[in-house]
Amino acid sequence: MTLPGTGLTIGLVYDLRDDYLAEGYSEEETAEFDRAETIDAIEDTLRSLSYRTERIGHARALIGRLAAGARWNLVFNIAEGLRGYGRESLVPALLEAYGIPYVFSDPLVLSLTLHKGMCKRVIRDLGIPTPDFAVVEKEADIAAVGLPFPLFIKPVAEGTGKGITEESVIRSPEALDRVCRRLLGSYGQPVLVERFLPGREFTVGVVGTGEDAETVGVMEVLLLAEAEKEVYSYLNKEYCERFVRYRLADDAEARRAAAVSLDAWRGLGCRDGGRVDIRSNERGEPHFIEVNPLAGLHPEHSDLPILCTLGGISYRDLIDRIMQSALRRTAGGEGGAGR
């Protein structure tokens, strides 16, 4: 059943990259934030679907609007936040306090999935395959890592490939020590150390919630000759038009990747739409790497819209399916919490 959007006012909460650049933050620090054209695209699409829209902006702007008495029928939240493990869950938590429903996952899911070590512990408990791992909290922990080489390391709570370079593939104790120390110092957070999987890399689009969730495409990430080798790094993602080729995959391995992704999406309690990143081991067995329940929505630059376009799903249809999932969840008067 398609629920009508006519008459509903949708608030837009987001972190505009230009605002933070103007405040002096670096390109990498703001890499997860949204460009102006992303906000334009979401707003134009919602209006084309007969919703009214109001731009709110970042969490601080939301706090001011809520305190002044502003309310909306639903909030379309893509704010990533700036600091701490709760940075993505701040906006949903505020909206729940005021009983305002919103699009995408709840505060628990957004905090859990931002900390990739904690998330992998839950995934492992669910029986979903994921590479063996360790979390290095401080320099003294590095020598205790007992995983076999090669390894793959990255900051425990960043997105968009931040902190990932060719040096992230670790082949010796010396490199492990050196790169861990660099990441601990640069990002001020623990480092996730995983067994490096040499197989194919996929990102899987998922739309919906719970039993209604479904995959909308499996996209294989193919690095071109000039790209940083072996890793879907910050540089490769930022300049994906130059360094990456994407293609839809529908062979047996890709279908297993889709099944792993859907199990993870449902098991973690993710909602409405997002992506799951998968990598296969040396035997072609797909493993969970991480989930992005606040996936980028730039129409041409973000992975979820790219894979939908490759599969014949328009940007308008993607936003509509995300909204329909949120409206079905909230149709019974849900004020943001629960499923």
Side-chain angles (χ1 to χ4, degrees):
M1 179 178 67
T2 300
L3 300 175
T6 304
L8 297 181
T9 299
I10 310 300
L12 303 178
V13 179
Y14 51 86
D15 287 303
L16 186 62
R17 193 174 188 180
D18 290 343
D19 289 344
Y20 290 88
L21 290 171
E23 293 179 23
Y25 291 96
S26 69
E27 291 284 341
E28 184 174 354
E29 286 174 314
T30 61
E32 291 186 86
F33 298 159
D34 286 293
R35 306 177 188 180
E37 55 261 38
T38 302
I39 313 305
D40 292 343
I42 293 171
E43 182 169 44
D44 290 347
T45 302
L46 288 172
R47 288 178 173 175
S48 79
L49 293 166
S50 301
Y51 299 101
R52 293 193 300 263
T53 60
E54 284 186 24
R55 294 195 181 202
I56 300 168
H58 50 48
R60 287 170 289 165
L62 174 64
I63 291 169
R65 296 286 297 277
L66 288 170
R71 301 292 185 267
W72 308 270
N73 296 112
L74 190 81
V75 166
F76 199 101
N77 167 48
I78 55 171
E80 301 274 355
L82 192 59
R83 300 182 186 89
Y85 297 134
R87 59 186 172 85
E88 291 185 349
S89 58
L90 173 59
V91 167
L94 286 167
L95 294 170
E96 288 188 3
Y98 284 83
I100 299 172
Y102 52 88
V103 171
F104 298 128
S105 294
D106 64 27
L108 173 63
V109 171
L110 294 180
S111 287
L112 174 67
T113 57
L114 184 63
H115 192 299
K116 303 178 198 315
M118 293 294 184
C119 183
K120 280 167 66 71
R121 289 186 175 112
V122 174
I123 286 291
R124 190 170 55 189
D125 187 68
L126 289 167
I128 295 169
T130 190
D132 291 338
F133 68 100
V135 176
V136 172
E137 301 275 354
K138 55 188 182 303
E139 292 181 356
D141 296 339
I142 300 172
V145 173
L147 300 169
F149 293 95
L151 301 172
F152 179 78
I153 70 173
K154 60 186 176 184
V156 80
E158 297 292 349
T160 321
K162 290 168 67 175
I164 298 176
T165 69
E166 283 181 318
E167 283 197 325
S168 298
V169 181
I170 303 292
R171 304 185 189 281
S172 70
E174 294 75 18
L176 177 64
D177 184 82
R178 174 172 48 80
V179 182
C180 270
R181 288 177 186 273
R182 179 173 61 77
L183 291 179
L184 286 169
S186 298
Y187 290 89
Q189 60 184 268
V191 175
L192 180 68
V193 182
E194 299 176 282
R195 194 168 70 84
F196 176 70
L197 303 186
R200 297 164 70 187
E201 180 156 8
F202 305 100
T203 189
V204 181
V206 183
V207 169
T209 304
E211 291 303 312
D212 292 332
E214 58 183 342
T215 59
V216 292
V218 179
M219 186 170 75
E220 186 168 5
V221 178
L222 301 168
L223 302 179
L224 301 179
E226 295 182 347
E228 289 189 308
K229 310 300 182 191
E230 299 186 288
V231 292
Y232 196 25
S233 64
Y234 168 72
L235 186 70
N236 289 341
K237 288 186 177 185
E238 186 73 2
Y239 301 100
C240 60
E241 295 86 354
R242 178 180 172 190
F243 295 136
V244 182
R245 182 167 74 87
Y246 301 109
R247 71 177 180 190
L248 282 187
D250 190 30
D251 53 83
E253 186 174 334
R255 289 192 288 275
R256 288 198 297 274
V260 168
S261 299
L262 203 52
D263 286 346
W265 185 264
R266 289 171 173 160
L268 292 168
C270 301
R271 307 195 308 202
D272 299 337
R275 287 180 16 247
V276 182
D277 294 340
I278 298 288
R279 189 143 182 160
S280 293
N281 64 9
E282 57 277 3
R283 295 184 295 278
E285 298 165 339
H287 284 57
F288 173 93
I289 299 298
E290 62 182 68
V291 61
N292 191 338
L294 278 183
L297 288 174
H298 188 287
E300 290 91 30
H301 191 75
S302 298
D303 286 354
L304 181 58
I306 289 173
L307 76 85
C308 283
T309 299
L310 289 173
I313 299 171
S314 70
Y315 189 76
R316 186 176 188 273
D317 286 344
L318 170 62
I319 298 298
D320 187 31
R321 291 172 73 168
I322 290 170
M323 287 296 296
Q324 290 298 318
S325 173
L327 291 173
R328 278 194 292 273
R329 282 192 297 104
T330 59
E334 174 191 321
R339 303 278 189 267

